[in-house]
Amino acid sequence: MQKRMLTPSEIAQATINAGIKKANLSALQMILLGIFAGIFIGFGAQADITVMQTLKNVDIGLMKFMGAAVFPVGLMLVVMAGAELFTGNNLMTLALMDKKITLNQMLKNWFFVYLGNFIGSILLAAVVVKSGLYKIDTPATQLATKIAAGKIGLTFNQAFLRAILCNIIVVLAVWLATGAQDVISKIFACWFPIMMFVLSGYEHSVANMYFISLGKFLGLETTWGQIWAKNLIPVTLGNIVGGAVIVPIVYYLVYIVPAKENIDLERNIKSNLF
C-alpha cells in the first residue's frame, strides 16, 4: 500500500525532530556532510551551465528552462543521499522556537555546515577547471564567467531581496520532501520548487559559492573580498530571512502553537475531571 504524504502539522513536527538531530551532530559530521552538500549543489550548477551553453543561440527562455530543469539534482542528492545544506538547515529555527535546541547549537550547526558548503563548492570548482572541461573562449567558459560577473554586479539590496525569495522556495522544497514518503515523491518535491527558483533568477548562497568561484578560476577579475562583500554576505543574510525567519515563524504559529494549546487544554480538562 502506498504511504500517504504527511500533513503540514506532521511535517512541522518532523522538521523539529530533524532539527534536533542536526543540532546534535559532531563538528566533524557537520563539516564533512557540509562539504558533500557543497559538491552536490555544485553538480547541479555545473549541469545548469553545461545545458545552457548548448542552447545559447536557440532561445533564451528555453535555455534558462533547460538549465533550471537539471539544477535540482543537487537538492535531491542532499535530501536523499544525505548531506547538510546551510540554506535547508535554516529551518532549524523551528526547533529553536519550540525550545528543543539552543541558539548555540543552531549557530554551531550553521557555522560548520556553511564552512563545509564553501569548502565543497571551491573544491568542485577547482577540480572542474583542472579537468579541462573549460577551454579558453568557448561558449561554456563565456557563460560561466558571465554568470559569475552578473552575480558580483548586483547591488546589496538586489542580492538580499532575491535571496529572501530564493530560500523561501528552497525551504519549502525541503518541507515538501520531508512530507513525501517515497523516492519518486521526494524527487518531485525537490524538482518543481528548485526549478522555479533557478528559472526566476533568485540568489542561493551555496550555489553562488560554486558559480562565482568557478568564474574566478576561469579568469574573472575579482577578489575574494569582493565576492563576499558584493554577493555572498547579502545573499546569505537574505537566505536566512527567507528560510529561517519567514517560513518557520509562520508555520510555527499556525501548526505548532495550536497543537501545544490543545495539549494544554486536554491536560487541564483531565486534571479537573480527576
Side-chain angles (χ1 to χ4, degrees):
M1 185 174 69
Q2 187 177 6
K3 295 181 180 179
R4 67 173 180 83
M5 183 168 179
L6 300 182
T7 64
S9 58
E10 290 172 333
I11 296 174
Q13 190 57 57
T15 302
I16 290 173
N17 294 336
I20 296 170
K21 292 179 181 178
K22 291 176 182 295
N24 287 287
L25 293 172
S26 68
L28 180 61
Q29 288 174 313
M30 293 175 190
I31 291 176
L32 291 177
L33 292 174
I35 290 173
F36 257 24
I39 292 173
F40 293 166
I41 297 300
F43 283 155
Q46 176 60 29
D48 177 45
I49 293 172
T50 303
V51 170
M52 287 200 298
Q53 60 96 20
T54 62
L55 297 169
K56 186 176 179 182
N57 298 319
V58 180
D59 180 82
I60 189 167
L62 178 62
M63 178 186 80
K64 289 184 176 181
F65 176 76
M66 294 305 295
V70 296
F71 186 92
V73 68
L75 187 64
M76 293 176 195
L77 290 171
V78 169
V79 169
M80 289 178 280
E84 291 290 303
L85 181 65
F86 169 75
T87 48
N89 286 11
N90 283 172
L91 281 172
M92 289 175 69
T93 51
L94 207 61
L96 178 66
M97 288 185 286
D98 205 40
K99 299 181 180 179
K100 295 297 193 300
I101 63 173
T102 66
L103 178 62
N104 285 341
Q105 284 179 305
M106 185 184 75
L107 293 179
K108 175 186 175 183
N109 178 278
W110 285 4
F111 174 79
F112 284 114
V113 168
Y114 190 91
L115 176 62
N117 292 166
F118 184 71
I119 294 171
S121 300
I122 299 299
L123 284 175
L124 180 63
V127 170
V128 167
V129 172
K130 291 291 185 181
S131 72
L133 286 172
Y134 287 91
K135 306 295 184 181
I136 297 175
D137 204 31
T138 60
T141 301
Q142 293 170 0
L143 180 60
T145 53
K146 181 180 179 180
I147 290 172
K151 292 181 179 297
I152 293 294
L154 296 174
T155 66
F156 188 99
N157 285 343
Q158 287 173 334
F160 178 73
L161 293 174
R162 293 183 192 185
I164 292 174
L165 298 173
C166 171
N167 216 30
I168 287 175
I169 297 173
V170 171
V171 297
L172 287 176
V174 174
W175 185 271
L176 292 174
T178 300
Q181 299 298 291
D182 60 82
V183 172
I184 298 300
S185 298
K186 288 182 182 293
I187 288 173
F188 279 102
C190 293
W191 191 82
F192 282 102
I194 302 305
M195 179 273 295
M196 181 175 64
F197 108 65
V198 177
L199 187 59
S200 299
Y202 301 146
E203 294 291 310
H204 187 271
S205 56
V206 180
N208 287 3
M209 292 173 186
Y210 179 79
F211 279 125
I212 302 176
S213 61
L214 179 66
K216 179 175 174 58
F217 295 155
L218 289 173
L220 180 66
E221 294 185 3
T222 186
T223 65
W224 286 110
Q226 290 174 324
I227 290 172
W228 282 98
K230 293 186 175 183
N231 189 274
L232 292 184
I233 289 176
V235 170
T236 299
L237 293 174
N239 286 166
I240 290 172
V241 172
V245 179
I246 295 175
V247 174
I249 286 179
V250 170
Y251 282 161
Y252 182 77
L253 293 175
V254 172
Y255 296 119
I256 301 301
V257 171
K260 286 180 171 294
E261 291 175 347
N262 289 336
I263 291 173
D264 291 340
L265 179 60
E266 289 176 3
R267 286 175 179 172
N268 289 334
I269 292 172
K270 288 180 180 180
S271 63
N272 290 332
L273 289 174
F274 302 103

